[in-house]
């Protein structure tokens, strides 16, 4: 108790300089201090409020809480449908001709090139080819084919019900995807309305038709995914990033993370041609 009085008086004297020292707490020494029951804590005499404020000013600043720090947001995740569509508003055609969206339509869809990617704007027909599943099989899809042009890491056909993938037209005099730096497993940004789905190049279709993607791609974009009656008649943009192969091809999380980074570079114009 005598030590407490000494610290209080000394601290006040050091902080106030010429200000008279406050009254110290005088507690008589007790030779029998070792008694088991401690004496009640005495109330110190009044201390000027100005001194209290001075003594506690610095520690109060040291204990000031910091504002919470938000987790860093992925820069790629900030790229949306409008950003991507703005970058493909004009077409620098790289194909030697144009494609149909189905067998009965006129060939009006060119393949365009832009900043390390190729793209086209078309419809979306449902591709259910590949592995037999509850949604994709000969009973649900009259045009079902049990194989895909590109296979999973264990050699099996792709699973159209679970894996978002896009179909490219077979090489022809109109356009050869390989000559444009596109191969199986490359990442594709598929844009419909305000939604973007990152898929992979997973199958090859007819030579003269574009506008086809897997059951899973359509479903994720909010498009009717029924293989016999679903799809979208127009308004779908396919942006294929060159030399962006995901391995294994079935790793959709890798396709999404890679696609987001590529989309940001594409929008910023920092991808190599």
């Amino acid at each position: 108790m005598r030590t407490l009085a000494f610290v209080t008086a000394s601290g006040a004297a050091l902080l106030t300089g010429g200000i008279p020292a406050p009254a110290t707490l005088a507690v008589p020494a007790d030779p029998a201090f070792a008694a088991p029951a401690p004496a009640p804590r005495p109330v110190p005499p009044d201390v000027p409020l100005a001194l209290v404020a001075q003594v506690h000013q610095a520690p109060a600043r040291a204990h000031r809480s910091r504002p919470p720090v938000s987790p860093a947001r992925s820069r790629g995740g900030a790229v949306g449908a409008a950003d991507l569509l703005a970058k493909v508003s004009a077409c620098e055609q790289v194909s030697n001709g144009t494609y149909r969206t189905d067998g009965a339509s006129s060939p009006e869809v060119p393949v365009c090139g832009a900043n390390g990617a190729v793209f086209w704007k078309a419809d979306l027909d449902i591709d259910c080819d590949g592995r037999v599943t509850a949604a994709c099989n000969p009973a649900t899809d009259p045009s079902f084919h049990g194989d895909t042009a590109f296979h999973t890491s264990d050699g099996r056909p792709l699973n159209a019900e679970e894996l978002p993938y896009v179909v490219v037209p077979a090489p022809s005099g109109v356009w050869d995807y390989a000559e444009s730096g596109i191969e199986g497993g490359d990442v594709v940004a598929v844009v419909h309305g305000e939604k973007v789905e990152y898929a992979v190049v997973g199958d090859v279709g007819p030579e003269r038709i574009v506008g086809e993607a897997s059951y899973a791609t359509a479903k994720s974009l909010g498009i009717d995914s029924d293989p016999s009656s679903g799809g979208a008649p127009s308004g779908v943009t396919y942006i294929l990033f060159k030399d962006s192969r995901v391995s294994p091809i079935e790793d959709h999380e890798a396709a999404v993370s890679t696609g987001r980074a590529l989309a940001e570079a594409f929008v910023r114009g920092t991808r190599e041609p």
Side-chain angles (χ1 to χ4, degrees), residues 100-101 120 122-130 135-136 141 143-144 148 158-169 186-192 196-206 209-240 252:
R100 305 174 187 271
T101 56
W120 58 80
D123 62 347
L124 191 153
D125 295 326
I126 307 300
D127 186 348
C128 239
D129 292 344
C136 296
D141 181 6
S143 302
F144 179 79
T148 51
L158 302 182
N159 185 334
E161 184 178 352
E162 295 184 358
L163 181 67
Y165 70 75
V166 165
V167 181
V168 294
D186 276 355
V187 178
V188 186
V190 187
V191 185
H192 176 66
V196 180
E197 175 59 79
Y198 293 101
V200 292
V201 174
D203 205 359
V204 175
I209 296 177
V210 293
E212 190 173 6
S214 69
Y215 177 104
T217 306
K219 187 173 181 179
S220 66
L221 290 171
I223 296 172
D224 182 357
S225 56
D226 188 301
S228 61
S229 61
S234 62
V236 181
T237 300
Y238 304 80
I239 305 171
L240 292 70
H252 181 54

Side-chain angles (χ1 to χ4, degrees), residues 44-272:
D46 291 339
V47 177
L49 293 178
L51 297 181
V52 175
Q54 292 179 25
V55 171
H56 287 281
Q57 184 175 3
R61 184 169 53 204
H63 289 289
R64 185 178 300 159
S65 59
R66 296 182 179 179
V69 179
S70 300
R73 182 176 180 181
S74 168
R75 294 178 62 88
V79 172
D83 302 309
L84 290 169
L85 293 177
K87 296 297 291 187
V88 297
S89 58
C91 174
E92 182 178 337
Q93 186 168 329
V94 297
S95 60
N96 297 321
T98 52
Y99 286 94
R100 305 174 187 271
T101 56
D102 57 56
S105 65
S106 301
E108 299 177 347
V109 180
V111 176
C112 311
N115 193 30
V118 297
F119 67 92
W120 58 80
K121 302 176 182 181
D123 62 347
L124 191 153
D125 295 326
I126 307 300
D127 186 348
C128 239
D129 292 344
R131 203 174 307 174
V132 173
T133 66
C136 296
N137 57 70
T140 60
D141 181 6
S143 302
F144 179 79
H145 181 62
D147 200 4
T148 51
F150 306 105
H151 295 157
T152 59
S153 54
D154 59 3
R156 295 188 296 169
L158 302 182
N159 185 334
E161 184 178 352
E162 295 184 358
L163 181 67
Y165 70 75
V166 165
V167 181
V168 294
S172 70
V174 177
W175 182 62
D176 185 337
Y177 63 87
E179 291 182 358
S180 288
I182 303 298
E183 62 178 333
D186 276 355
V187 178
V188 186
V190 187
V191 185
H192 176 66
E194 297 181 352
K195 294 185 177 181
V196 180
E197 175 59 79
Y198 293 101
V200 292
V201 174
D203 205 359
V204 175
E207 290 183 359
R208 304 290 178 174
I209 296 177
V210 293
E212 190 173 6
S214 69
Y215 177 104
T217 306
K219 187 173 181 179
S220 66
L221 290 171
I223 296 172
D224 182 357
S225 56
D226 188 301
S228 61
S229 61
S234 62
V236 181
T237 300
Y238 304 80
I239 305 171
L240 292 70
F241 299 110
K242 298 180 180 181
D243 304 316
S244 60
R245 184 171 179 264
V246 171
S247 183
I249 192 173
E250 66 269 22
D251 189 346
H252 181 54
E253 290 185 3
V256 171
S257 60
T258 300
R260 286 176 175 169
L262 292 171
E264 171 132 356
F266 179 72
V267 168
R268 285 176 166 268
T270 56
R271 283 216 82 202
E272 294 295 328

